[in-house]
Amino acid sequence: MKITPFHELYKERATLTEYAGFQLPLLYDSIREEHMAVRQRVGLFDVTHMGRAFVRGGEAETYLNHMTANDVTRLEDNKAQYTMFCNERGGVVDDLMAYRVNRNLYLLVYNATSRATTLKWLRSHADGSDVVIEDVSDQTCMVAVQGPLAEEALRSILPEASGLGRFRSIDTAYGESKTMVSRTGYTGENGFEVILWSVDDPDVPASLWRDFVGSITELGGLACGLGARDTLRLEAGFCLYGNDLTEEITPLEADLGWVVKFDQGEFIGRETLERQTEKVHRLRRGIILERGIPRQGQKVFSASGLDIGFVSSGTFSPLLKQGIGFCYVEAEFTKVDEVVYIDIRGRRAAARVTDVPFYDTDIYGATRKRPPLIESRKA
Amino acid sequence: MGIKESNIREGCLYAEEHEWVKVEGDVVTVGVTDYAQQMLTDVVYVELPDVGKEISKGQSFMILESVKSVSDVYSPLTGTIAEVNEELADFPERVNDAPYDEGWLVKVRPSQSGELEELMSAEEYREFLAGKG
C-alpha cells in the first residue's frame, strides 16, 4: 500500500484507512468536529492520492476539447475549470479539474480511484497527435486548505497566493521549492489546493505540513480525514466518482448539464448527450430525511410503491444533523419537495427531494454573505 | 487516534462482541462498551428494536450508525426486549458520551439463565481486550 510524504506526520494521530491503494487518515478524532471546523474555520487535508498529469503539445487544446465535455478554450493561463471525460455513450469516464498553464500545457487533477483508467483513456486517444501525457502523481504531493479562514491560514506560508481569485492558480514557492496554489476545493468552502512539485527531499513536504498544522491550529482549525472530506462534498452537492458518476451515468443525468458545452464543437459522447438534452429518464437529486440515514445502493420508491431509483451516496450531515444523500430517480419524481421513500433495511423512510447545496448559501460555503458563525474557540 | 485507554465498568458482564450486561432482578440492561463506542466513532443514529421482540444470543438485534458506517449490535443473551432507551432517538451521542450510563441500549428479559455464566467478568474482558491489542 502507498503512503504519502505526509504520512509520518499524522500516522500516530489519525485512524488510517485504505483508499485507492493509499493509506490515508479516515479521521483524527471526530468526523463531525473536522467537518464543522471546515464549515466554521479551516481544515487541512492530505489529497496527494489524487491523480496529477500534464497534457503537453501544440495540439493540447484541440485534444482536450475533443476529450472533455466542458470547453477548455474558455480558459486563460492560470485558470481552472471543472470538467469530465465522457465515453461514446455519454457516460462519465472521470470527472476532473483542468488547469491551463498555457495553450500548449495543461495540468489535469483527477480521481485517485480512476488514476489507471484515466491515464489509459488519455493515452489511447493521444495517438496520432503531438500530445504527450506526463503522469506526475507519484513525484508530487498535494494538500487542501479549506474553510472561511483558509486565506488567513495560507497567508504566512504562501503569501503570494493571498487574494487569488476563484478557480485561479499561481506558481509560487515554498522556500526554495516550487509550488502551484489554486483557489479550488471539494468542500463547498472557500479554500486552496497546494501542489508541491518535488518530493525528492522529504523535509520539504514535512515542513509544509507542520507549517499548515501550526497555522490552522492557531485559527482553531483541524486536520481532517477522508470521512469529513466525504460529508463536506455531499453537503455541498458535489459528486463522488464511482458513487454518483460512473461510465453508465451521463453528466445530464447527474444534473451537471452546465458542464457540457455543445458550442465547443465535436467531443466524445456529444451525440448521446445532445439527444438527452430533449429528455433524460432519470436525474440525480438531493434527498433529506427526517429520520434515518440513506446509504449507497438503497432502493428508492414512490408513494405508490413503484421502484423509481437508487441512492448513489448517503451520509449524516453534521451541519443539518439529518440524513442526506443523492439519488437517481425517474424524472417525474424529481421536483423539489417531492416525497420519495428509501428502503432502509426493509423499512420505508420518507425523504424529501431538495436542491443542493444542502446548506443555506447565505450562511455557509464559498459565497456566504456573513462572516463565519464561530462558536467559542477550543483550547 | 486509535483506541485510547478503554474504560471497563466493574460489576458488569461482557460479551466478545463488546456489549456489557448488568443484571437488575429479572431483567438485564445491555449496552456497548467504551471500547466499542470508540471503534464506532460518533454515533449519529440508533435503530432500536421493538419492545416484545424475541432476540437470540449472537444475532444482530439493532443498528448503530456513525457518520460513515452502519454497525449491527449482537445480542449477548437470548430473551425478550422489555424496554428500549428511547432517548437515544434524539440523543444518539449518549452512546459515545456515557456508554455504561445514559447510553444504555435495551433491557432484556433473559429466557436462558445459563447464558449469563458464559459472559466475561470485567477482569476477563480486560484480558480479552489486552489480547486483541
Side-chain angles (χ1 to χ4, degrees), chain B residues 91-110:
Chain B
F91 306 102
E93 64 276 11
R94 287 184 183 170
V95 176
N96 297 111
D97 296 343
Y100 297 107
D101 297 298
E102 290 87 0
W104 66 275
L105 302 176
V106 297
K107 294 191 180 186
V108 179
R109 201 175 299 281

Side-chain angles (χ1 to χ4, degrees), chain A residues 102-278:
Chain A
N102 60 58
R103 198 160 176 261
N104 303 320
L105 184 62
Y106 291 81
L107 170 71
L108 309 182
V109 177
Y110 45 94
N111 288 288
T113 49
S114 31
R115 270 173 63 172
T117 50
T118 285
L119 273 179
K120 199 173 156 200
W121 183 257
L122 284 170
R123 288 188 171 135
S124 67
H125 288 84
D127 289 348
S129 77
D130 74 349
V131 167
V132 176
I133 311 297
E134 186 193 354
D135 173 19
V136 295
S137 311
D138 291 333
Q139 292 87 54
T140 58
C141 62
M142 186 167 171
V143 297
V145 185
Q146 302 280 304
L149 304 183
E151 174 100 36
E152 278 179 76
L154 191 85
R155 198 174 292 136
S156 60
I157 301 166
L158 294 156
E160 281 184 53
S162 187
L164 198 61
R166 292 194 75 197
F167 287 86
R168 297 272 168 189
S169 66
I170 183 170
D171 291 309
T172 177
Y174 172 70
E176 303 286 297
S177 307
K178 287 182 179 168
T179 66
M180 188 189 89
V181 182
S182 59
R183 196 157 207 142
T184 51
Y186 191 47
T187 61
E189 295 297 334
N190 182 15
F192 300 86
E193 290 173 301
V194 179
I195 299 174
L196 194 58
W197 291 121
S198 169
V199 293
D200 293 342
D201 177 359
D203 290 346
V204 179
S207 157
L208 181 74
W209 184 264
R210 273 192 219 102
D211 278 357
F212 271 124
V213 168
S215 77
I216 64 159
T217 305
E218 208 159 285
L219 294 164
L222 291 174
C224 303
L226 292 177
R229 186 166 161 83
D230 190 54
T231 53
L232 287 159
R233 68 93 192 167
L234 251 160
E235 268 183 10
F238 298 153
C239 288
L240 173 64
Y241 193 79
N243 282 34
D244 314 304
L245 296 173
T246 70
E247 295 206 27
E248 312 308 321
I249 294 171
T250 73
L252 299 185
E253 291 172 327
D255 200 25
L256 294 170
W258 64 270
V259 176
V260 185
K261 305 290 175 4
F262 290 106
D263 57 4
Q264 63 157 310
E266 196 281 325
F267 59 92
I268 303 172
R270 180 187 175 119
E271 244 174 74
T272 317
L273 295 176
E274 244 177 341
R275 268 201 309 275
Q276 279 195 352
T277 56
E278 282 155 36

